[in-house]
Amino acid sequence: MSFMGSAKLSSMLWVSLLLGCLVMGSSKAGNFNQEVEVTWGHDRAKIFNGGQLLTLSLDKYSGAGFQSKNEYLFGRIDMQIKLVAGNSAGTVTTFYLSSQGPTHDEIDFEFLGNVTGEPYTLHTNVFSQGKGNREQQFHLWFDPTKAFHTYSIVWNTQRIIFLVDNIPIRVFHNSESIGVPFLNKQPMRVYSSLWNADDWATQGGRVKTDWTQAPFVASYRNFNANACVWTGAAGSSCTSTSSTNSFQDNKWQDQALDAAGRNRIRWVQQKYMIYNYCTDLQRFSQGLPPECKRSRF
């Protein structure tokens, strides 16, 4: 069961949780047989190579999805994905973190397919306490269907960083000081799915899924959760999911953008960003959300 967002944890407990993260989930690529469970789609989700590769497929009857067996409260989550090739219009491939319930938290990577030769749209969003509407969208500087690329979420007490091949594309800061709820009370699982959304996904729903191209297939590998594993009710702490990995790379705990990172995110946002809710004055005619007033970086 998800830890409810209404639960109140003292600042001392938060400190102990972060200190406890010196012993965390495995720092090497996880085995899908051990780390995840298929949640829908039955045999449309398949695991190969002794747990090193997972594929999801979509046909006109169903897509498929899986979730991590563990819940996490802060960490760095990496996944390598190769997206649906060819005419992927109408399809959505996802990789995200989410808690449960009407006031859930969520951190989204969603890949919106397109007709052959047109770029995918990388759709990102952040929900805190059930409130989203924080979309930023990008085109990628490579073809995400030709090879695996690494998509990462860094989540600590101060910020959330979205990265593609370790290049930052977006930062969502902790803005609790100005009344914006941050994602720091609800542990989240990792979820991935492949599904049909041709009512909105491609060019606003104008381009429909071509089922003659089915099955559509997305592939996953090298799932890594260098993260605090949530173990339940009172007294929970960060624990290790692998007894052979007692020392971790914990830079994510206070990771921010250095000068090089700021230059990279500026390059991505200037050249490849196609939508930013923080500049949509028509949508937010009564005023932009308060977090938009902060520096992007």
Side-chain angles (χ1 to χ4, degrees), residues 165-211:
D165 290 336
N166 217 36
I167 295 173
I169 65 168
R170 176 178 184 176
V171 178
F172 183 79
H173 292 283
N174 183 335
S175 299
E176 287 183 310
S177 61
I178 57 173
V180 180
F182 190 66
L183 296 74
N184 55 15
K185 296 178 176 64
Q186 301 187 78
M188 298 191 283
R189 294 187 192 275
V190 179
Y191 295 88
S192 286
S193 60
L194 174 59
W195 53 290
N196 178 49
D198 67 1
D199 56 333
W200 65 270
T202 303
Q203 299 179 34
R206 292 188 296 275
V207 181
K208 302 300 182 181
T209 303
D210 180 0
W211 293 112

Side-chain angles (χ1 to χ4, degrees), residues 277-292:
Y277 78 108
C278 279
T279 62
D280 194 340
L281 296 175
Q282 182 175 359
R283 178 183 180 187
F284 298 103
S285 58
Q286 302 302 311
L288 294 172
E291 69 269 16
C292 294

Side-chain angles (χ1 to χ4, degrees), residues 70-81:
N70 287 321
E71 292 180 291
Y72 305 100
L73 186 63
F74 304 122
R76 174 172 177 143
I77 310 294
D78 303 286
M79 186 80 79
Q80 289 191 330
I81 307 173

